[in-house]
Amino acid sequence: VHDRTVRTLFVIGIGAGNPEHLTLQGVAAIQRVDVFFVIDKGNAPELRELRDGLIGRHATAKPHRIVEIPEVERDRTPEDYESEVADWHRARAVRIGGAIRDELDEDGVGAFLVLGDPSLYDSTLRLLARVREARLVDFDVEVVPGITSVQALAASHGVPLHGVGEPVLITTGRRLAGRADPPVPNTVVMLDGLEAFTGVDDPDAEILWGAYLGMADEILVAGPLDEVAEEIVERRAAARAERGWILDTYLVRRTVADDEAWREG
Ligand SMILES: C[S@@+](CC[C@H](N)C(=O)[O-])C[C@H]1O[C@@H](n2cnc3c(N)ncnc32)[C@H](O)[C@@H]1O
């Protein structure tokens, strides 16, 4: 049945930082968009430039608008943390639903552009599910996959993420923090403001670290963890001081082949 008129919302993975990460499917989606929705989280200017540059370069097929949705203020010291978080999620869903309803025609095409891929440490898809539950507006969601920072890290170092048949874990700095041993031989760590790699105490561990992957000032450091950890801490601090923000991702892997149990077969 094709007589149902409904808004379409693309959630487009734009890649980790290099404008050329955008896929041809992403370009085709961008060309169909009437309204680009941007949730203003006070993002770094370089990330705004990346997003605006992609829109400027590819959204050339028809007129489009960019609609900024201001982030809902959050009480950082609530009396009841859980109910405050629930209220905040509801308020966001209502605000975003209202923007979609008011700014996008009933047969219009909207889009959210997401750094990397929407499946990895990104809340856009969960958020849109909540927006739909709020029942302010009806829409279909179409996801366009993108290159994750994990893939960008592996490509820049020119390595596979794991040995033959081994597993790989993708986790956060918060979860690695306080562990002397990574949980599996190949662990990719994202969202690490804690420099959790400094707590890993394994003479056979190697680290492959990357900051601003895919961007003009990409920084890479690789080597035995106990030899390069300090250098990474220093370069991280210097880069952060210079720019005011940092995005970094790394792989910690055990180099000795005592991991037969992890191999297949
Ligand atoms: C909110 S998550 C978003 C991840 C994204 N959806 C992806 O697919 O890569 C942010 C984290 O992704 C990683 N990240 C994203 N872009 C990066 C880049 N260009 N260079 C290094 N790390 C990046 C960092 O670990 C950062 O803390």
Side-chain angles (χ1 to χ4, degrees):
V1 187
H2 288 287
D3 57 0
R4 178 170 163 256
T5 307
V6 68
R7 296 167 175 89
T8 299
L9 284 181
F10 280 116
V11 180
I12 304 171
I14 61 170
N18 183 337
E20 309 228 321
H21 284 172
L22 187 69
T23 65
L24 295 177
Q25 188 187 1
V27 171
I30 285 178
Q31 287 175 344
R32 289 180 49 198
V33 172
D34 302 300
V35 180
F36 294 91
F37 292 100
V38 177
I39 301 173
D40 185 8
K41 297 184 199 158
N43 279 335
E46 290 87 342
L47 294 179
R48 243 174 287 153
E49 273 164 35
L50 171 66
R51 186 192 67 210
D52 292 349
L54 290 173
I55 294 173
R57 183 162 159 194
H58 301 295
T60 50
K62 62 194 244 191
H64 64 269
R65 288 181 302 128
I66 298 179
V67 170
E68 301 233 358
I69 307 176
E71 185 61 287
V72 173
E73 287 292 318
R74 207 169 146 176
D75 180 357
R76 293 281 167 190
T77 52
E79 273 176 34
D80 180 345
Y81 181 77
E82 272 175 32
S83 82
E84 197 279 332
V85 171
D87 287 350
W88 181 72
H89 281 303
R90 249 190 310 276
R92 283 183 100 197
V94 166
R95 185 174 287 185
I96 291 161
I100 295 168
R101 180 195 57 204
D102 298 343
E103 302 285 352
L104 194 59
D105 291 345
E106 271 176 46
D107 59 352
V109 177
F112 290 83
L113 304 189
V114 168
L115 188 66
D117 182 78
S119 68
L120 196 61
Y121 296 114
D122 185 84
S123 59
T124 309
L125 293 175
R126 263 187 295 270
L127 180 62
L128 289 178
R130 281 175 186 279
V131 172
R132 186 180 275 130
E133 281 164 24
R135 293 184 181 281
L136 289 169
V137 58
D138 189 24
F139 52 83
D140 288 337
V141 172
E142 281 190 41
V143 178
V144 178
I147 305 287
T148 65
S149 49
V150 179
Q151 291 159 293
L153 175 77
S156 287
H157 284 284
V159 296
L161 289 173
H162 52 77
V164 178
E166 289 178 353
V168 55
L169 175 74
I170 301 175
T171 190
T172 62
R174 189 172 290 277
R175 284 188 182 265
L176 182 66
R179 296 189 65 125
D181 282 321
V184 302
N186 311 284
T187 304
V188 174
V189 183
M190 303 174 68
L191 291 163
D192 186 5
L194 301 167
E195 299 180 339
F197 58 87
T198 57
V200 173
D201 181 21
D202 178 344
D204 297 319
E206 197 182 14
I207 186 167
L208 294 95
W209 177 82
Y212 315 108
L213 291 160
M215 302 179 188
D217 312 342
E218 176 175 286
I219 312 172
L220 301 173
V221 175
L225 180 56
D226 52 7
E227 287 174 27
V228 299
E230 205 173 312
E231 179 188 347
I232 294 172
V233 169
E234 281 164 17
R235 296 189 71 169
R236 222 180 160 268
R240 204 174 171 181
E242 195 182 317
R243 292 210 189 197
W245 60 282
I246 190 161
L247 282 175
D248 62 336
T249 303
Y250 55 90
L251 169 66
V252 175
R253 63 183 183 187
R254 217 158 39 232
T255 45
V256 289
D258 65 346
D259 298 319
E260 288 303 321
W262 291 103
R263 296 186 201 285
E264 277 170 356

